[in-house]
Amino acid sequence: MGDVLVGACSWTDRQLVASGWYPRGRRDAEGRLRHYAARLPVVEVDSGYYALPSRRNSELWVERTPDGFRFDVKAFSLLTGHPTRPEALPADLRTADPGPLRRGRASAGLLDEVWGRFAEAVGPLRKAGRLGTVLFQFPPWFAPGPFAEAALETCARRTEGWPLAVEFRHPGWWEPERAEATHALLSALGASAVGTDMAQDLPASLPAIAPVTRPALAVVRFHGRSTAWGRGGKEDRFRHDYDVAELAARVPRLRRAARQSEELHVLFNNCCGDAAVRAAETMRGLLTRPCR
């Protein structure tokens, strides 16, 4: 079985910081990351979606974490076609027309610049061997078809040499009649498919699967079991406190994924207080128990 790294989708979430999980004296920026990295071996940088990350922050993250620690960096919103606030861009790029940005679009020149700066920002993580993957989470309207496949090919070309992971939010990609083609497409592009855990039987639900399309890395994100998935605010969509039985039920499929990959990342996105880090610690314990 490959290495299994379990963590949370943020170490800076406001509710996590306020929860008391970080001890006194470890609540500044450096202390939080050092404490987190002493407890869990991987984290997702979700802030990369909301604003372009900086090279300096990546350098600091390398300094503050031990060898073997991994950062999975979520791609900036504009790179996945999500609506983007002009304020999320660096100051010198904010002259762009805000209309297209709010629709997730940009000129070719602006996109080139954003891609370049994103690559520059994650460079220190790549050089230090700390970049687990760059996660491209595509929006719910990114449906299977020629347009989406061309966009994925462009993404793979832009990220050549990076560890690339793709999460779909449109259920059509993993419907039974389409799943094999999706698996083959991501494999051909050298991308890790992101499996998910969420509430089922909702219009926007994705199946509880852990597909392995790239042997070097498999990724599964646990989004909670909120029935508000696909609607409402962030806290409503992701509010859930996994119990041990819910987590234990997912252990067999995670172990199957680990047997098919060199490394498996299991990340908890149920961001409500310290629910994600507690679930990660519990799941880590379950996965390290000997198989019966």
Side-chain angles (χ1 to χ4, degrees):
M1 194 165 72
D3 292 336
V4 181
L5 307 184
V6 187
C9 289
S10 175
W11 78 94
T12 61
D13 182 79
R14 177 175 52 84
Q15 290 199 24
L16 172 59
V17 173
S19 72
W21 189 73
Y22 291 108
R24 292 189 178 187
R26 307 301 295 274
R27 295 176 185 173
D28 62 310
E30 179 175 354
R32 289 196 302 265
L33 182 52
R34 289 190 182 279
H35 178 76
Y36 180 100
R39 300 279 293 270
L40 295 165
V42 64
V43 74
E44 183 179 296
V45 184
D46 68 341
S47 59
Y49 170 83
Y50 299 102
L52 276 174
S54 73
R55 182 180 182 86
R56 179 55 182 156
N57 275 344
S58 291
E59 291 170 345
L60 290 172
W61 297 341
V62 170
E63 292 174 11
R64 295 168 178 175
T65 53
D67 290 342
F69 189 85
R70 297 286 188 272
F71 292 90
D72 288 1
V73 182
K74 197 171 181 181
F76 183 52
S77 59
L78 195 60
L79 303 183
T80 49
H82 283 86
T84 299
R85 299 176 300 106
E87 298 79 18
L89 295 170
D92 62 311
L93 299 181
R94 292 176 192 168
T95 56
D97 183 354
L101 290 175
R102 294 191 184 104
R103 299 191 298 275
R105 300 174 184 172
S107 67
L110 178 58
L111 273 178
D112 284 343
E113 187 65 27
V114 169
W115 273 106
R117 295 195 191 191
F118 188 89
E120 172 72 10
V122 300
L125 298 177
R126 292 183 63 200
K127 183 178 180 180
R130 303 289 173 79
L131 181 63
T133 192
V134 179
L135 167 65
F136 286 79
Q137 177 194 298
F138 288 96
W141 56 86
F142 192 77
F147 171 82
E149 292 188 15
L152 288 169
E153 290 170 1
T154 298
C155 182
R157 185 174 66 253
R158 293 266 199 178
T159 60
E160 186 175 1
W162 300 8
L164 168 65
V166 172
E167 178 178 349
F168 297 116
R169 289 292 173 88
H170 190 291
W173 290 97
W174 295 113
E175 289 178 351
E177 63 274 16
R178 169 74 204 193
E180 186 175 341
T182 297
H183 194 286
L185 173 63
L186 294 181
S187 293
L189 295 175
S192 298
V194 176
T196 56
D197 181 272
M198 63 179 66
Q200 296 297 296
D201 301 321
L202 301 173
S205 293
L206 298 168
I209 57 174
V212 178
T213 58
R214 178 172 165 260
L217 177 68
V219 183
V220 180
R221 300 175 81 220
F222 279 67
H223 295 304
R225 304 286 177 82
S226 172
T227 56
W229 178 262
R231 57 187 175 83
K234 176 183 176 182
E235 292 181 6
D236 294 326
R237 296 195 308 273
F238 298 102
R239 185 186 300 277
H240 184 73
D241 199 354
Y242 282 100
D243 62 36
V244 174
E246 289 172 329
L247 297 175
R250 297 307 188 201
V251 166
R253 74 177 173 115
L254 293 176
R255 284 184 168 153
R256 283 195 296 272
R259 285 193 291 270
Q260 299 173 53
S261 57
E262 297 170 20
E263 192 165 289
L264 168 66
H265 290 188
V266 181
L267 293 154
F268 284 85
N269 196 30
N270 53 319
C271 48
C272 181
D274 62 352
V277 290
R278 284 190 290 102
E281 291 175 326
T282 301
M283 179 62 86
R284 194 178 182 198
L286 291 171
L287 287 168
T288 56
R289 289 180 184 174
C291 297
R292 293 182 180 179

